[in-house]
Amino acid sequence: MNVAIDGLDSAAIGGSFSVHLLMNGQRIASRFFFQPSDGADAGGLGGPSQAAHFDFILPIDVVSGGTLSVDIEALDADGSRKAVDPDRMGNPTLSVCLMLHPV
C-alpha cells in the first residue's frame, strides 16, 4: 500500500520536522523533512506556502482495519521536539492506494 500525505505547508512549520503516520493512534511509520530554521531561506509563519509530499510504502495488513491519522513534530534548534498545531499544516490530504504489480 502507498499512503501519501500531500500538500502539507512546510513553510508554515518553519524548520525541520517529522511526519508520523498513525494507525488507531499508534505510530506505524515516520519521515523526516529537513529545512533551514533561520536565515533568508528559512521557512516560518508569513513566508510563501511550500507544499511537501510524503510517501509511506507499507504492507496491506499494517494499514487495514483501522483509522489512519498524521502527527507532526517540529525540531527546535536545541534538538527538542514539539507537536505542531494542525491549523498550521495548511490543507494536506491523506490518500491510500493499493499498488498492483503485473505478473
Side-chain angles (χ1 to χ4, degrees):
M1 301 292 294
N2 179 29
V3 179
I5 300 164
D6 197 22
L8 182 85
D9 186 2
S10 63
I13 296 170
S16 300
F17 59 93
S18 294
V19 177
H20 305 294
L21 182 63
L22 310 173
M23 170 64 80
N24 298 327
Q26 298 295 315
R27 190 179 299 174
I28 58 172
S30 297
R31 295 283 181 265
F32 187 76
F33 188 86
F34 175 80
Q35 64 182 354
S37 59
D38 58 9
D41 294 329
L45 294 174
S49 178
Q50 296 179 1
H53 178 92
F54 300 89
D55 283 306
F56 299 89
I57 308 299
L58 301 164
I60 192 168
D61 60 321
V62 172
V63 297
S64 63
T67 302
L68 290 172
S69 60
V70 176
D71 188 26
I72 310 293
E73 285 183 322
L75 182 63
D76 286 339
D78 65 359
S80 64
R81 297 178 179 267
K82 65 178 179 180
V84 174
D85 181 0
D87 292 335
R88 290 181 55 194
M89 294 182 203
N91 294 308
T93 59
L94 185 142
S95 59
V96 180
C97 300
L98 178 61
M99 297 168 42
L100 301 175
H101 297 279
V103 287

